[in-house]
Amino acid sequence: MKFGWTPGSLALQKRRMVYGMALAGALFATTPGSAGGIAGVDMTANQVTLRFDEPVDGASAFLLDGPQRIALDISGAQAGRGFAGSAPAVAAVRQGQVDAQTARVVLDLASPAVPTGARFSEDGRSLSFTLQDVSSGAFRSALGQGRMRFDAPANAARPPHRVHSITVPIPAASKALALPQVEGPRDAGRPLVVIDAGHGGHDPGAIDPDNGRREKDVTLAIAQAIRDRLVKSGRVRVALTRDDDRFLVLQERYGIARRMNADLFISIHADSAENREAQGATVYTLSETASDREAARLAARENKADIINGVNLGNQSGEVSSILIDLTQRESMNISANFARLLQRSAAPYVPFRSAYHRFASLMVLKAPDIPSVLFETGYISNAHDAAFLSSREGQAQIARGVASAIEIHFARKLAMN
């Protein structure tokens, strides 16, 4: 979700906040002892219990769609490994570290479910909740309600610690995320494609269970292969949101594309599933329902001060701004859906696709209102065959060939129509 808003302001505001808090925390906070680890995630029927080595400070949970997941952030904890038991609604369990004092547990859902009745044990060493089966509509409704917070018992809290703050001026060079290099023809009239390598930095994404390959490395290699193929053809300009192992928040990814006035945005990912037999590529575009909600939120946030698809909303009423944003986003969604179909047809000779290859989801990275955008799950890193294909130079070259072909056909059609 975007805040604020000129396209560059999100990165500025986030970096100010993160930089200021990190510096204040590092210099002026007396922190508690080292965070306890997650000792285990136990599942029995529809009951889930997270166990901790030490009392934790609290927790929160939020829902994610496309695919459906429950994410739990544990304050004062370190990520552990593994889980025991099973729950009908849970397909897989993953753990990671959000920051030095916050662990994240993600439940990949096999069917829509929401956490209910969450409670900590009296000693703060475990958190239990029930997974309640719900309809897809109810899941989306719960997703819109935002983060749920669970407080640890007062008698289990860690000793209080003093936190002081200080205001530090941020050097001008740190104020905005630098835009990536544009490669290809120097003709600014050529279409610009922004390729986004998913995950990165402290976020490894999915991990190959056989050899530990990380999604963030695979996606970067594929994005670079696509870039090289497009640069070699000389038909379009291309830029990567990241060309190294760095972390970008989702809003920064499509924010880069918007700031660069990109004509097409493609986010590269590699899927994973508990079922090791699942394989094949999938293309995601923004769902109709997600579009309606995002257009409404965007109109409310705009304050009539942004330019959408070349139209300055500054002189428009709130109602007109909302309509213009909605029309622009719907046009982008239609183009995105057409490109998804073209991508499958063009890349199918080189990349195996799932039979249901096109899916709609409320994915944050697809929510630029004025840029056609797709998320390309290039295959399943949890499947031995797909993982070998995605990790090999030959496989990456095949993917690049198919994606580049789709891109070139897409813009050739647009040129023919103009």
Side-chain angles (χ1 to χ4, degrees), residues 11-27 166-175:
L12 169 59
Q13 293 169 15
K14 278 187 170 286
R15 286 174 184 277
R16 256 193 201 134
M17 254 184 350
V18 172
Y19 182 87
M21 291 193 317
L23 186 58
L27 296 179
I166 188 171
T167 301
V168 180
I170 301 175
S174 302
K175 287 188 175 181

Side-chain angles (χ1 to χ4, degrees), residues 69-137:
R69 289 156 288 163
I70 299 172
L72 299 113
D73 286 349
I74 315 299
S75 300
Q78 297 290 322
R81 293 187 178 183
F83 62 95
S86 63
V90 178
V93 178
R94 294 177 284 127
Q95 297 188 37
Q97 202 69 28
V98 178
D99 56 41
Q101 291 291 324
T102 308
R104 175 167 294 174
V105 176
V106 178
L107 307 181
D108 295 326
L109 298 178
S111 58
V114 297
T116 61
R119 62 192 182 280
F120 275 98
S121 61
E122 290 187 3
D123 61 4
R125 291 175 180 261
S126 69
L127 170 65
S128 300
F129 58 89
T130 300
L131 289 174
Q132 179 181 339
D133 294 332
V134 296
S135 66
S136 295

Side-chain angles (χ1 to χ4, degrees), residues 347-394:
Y350 316 107
V351 181
F353 279 80
R354 300 188 66 184
S355 55
Y357 69 88
H358 184 194
R359 293 185 174 183
F360 298 87
S362 177
L363 297 169
M364 179 63 70
V365 77
L366 299 178
K367 290 187 177 180
D370 47 356
I371 302 175
S373 306
V374 301
L375 186 146
F376 187 24
E377 294 277 11
T378 50
Y380 281 82
I381 201 168
S382 52
N383 175 274
H385 181 271
D386 276 10
F389 177 75
L390 299 176
S391 302
S392 69
R393 288 188 177 276
E394 294 76 15

